Amino acid sequence: MYRVQVWDDDANRYVDVVLSFDRWGAVGFRHAQFGDTPAEYDDPEEAWRDAVDLQERFGNAIVTLLDMSTGERHFDECNLPEIGANISEASAAPEIWTDDWIIQRAVRKRPMSAGGDVYEPWSGYTHPMTRDQAVKALEECEERWPEHEFRAHRLRLEEKVAADAIDRARRFVRSRKHD
């Protein structure tokens, strides 16, 4: 079973969605609410077709397929199991993520009661680095841009996966601009 999910910046996680369709395919989505049936598929090719439709229509959205049997997220077709394949044989062992860090800039200062401060990745410092590299990069950012507040941020698995998907989407958009 595969579930189409979309990254929600406000919730800082992937959320289930309900899709809307026209005769050409998936044209929209909304967050699944209590009682809704989220977009679920038995066939990974059908699920991916609708996920691709959404990604094409909403270029800034991060769309993923969640394999409900393994908990793996898929961002492209290359690592989806073959139709009819045994899921346990088709999926590789989960990749081990290293201790990666990025630099983020404060964009909104809020009290903890309002959810705390909001940070965004700082351009040029979004490629994962070691802790020591992040400390040096943080010092560099603070020196070059004293008007901003920065932090070195340890990446969680979801953030690293999302950052990888965003980088792929940006590269895709750049390549289309040059065509």
Side-chain angles (χ1 to χ4, degrees), residues 1 10 21 24 29 31 43 91 94 113 134 145 151 154 166:
M1 179 76 61
D10 294 331
F21 297 89
W24 295 287
F29 66 91
H31 290 205
D43 181 352
S91 63
S113 61
W145 299 285
R151 73 175 182 181
R154 188 180 199 172
I166 289 168

Side-chain angles (χ1 to χ4, degrees), residues 101-106 119-120 122 124-126 129-146 148-154:
W101 295 76
I102 63 170
I103 302 302
Q104 293 182 323
R105 176 181 67 103
Y119 291 85
E120 68 180 8
W122 187 243
Y125 297 87
T126 58
M129 56 188 95
T130 66
R131 183 179 183 279
D132 291 340
Q133 291 169 328
V135 169
K136 288 178 185 174
L138 182 60
E139 291 169 356
E140 178 182 315
C141 289
E142 290 171 343
E143 186 177 311
R144 285 182 70 186
W145 299 285
H148 296 291
E149 181 179 322
F150 296 95
R151 73 175 182 181
H153 177 69
R154 188 180 199 172

Side-chain angles (χ1 to χ4, degrees), residues 14 29 50 83 88 100-101 109-110 127 131 154-155 168-169 176:
Y14 286 95
F29 66 91
D50 289 344
I83 292 179
S88 63
D100 292 333
W101 295 76
K109 303 300 277 174
R110 299 188 309 194
H127 294 339
R131 183 179 183 279
R154 188 180 199 172
L155 291 176
R168 280 197 308 272
R176 292 191 98 178

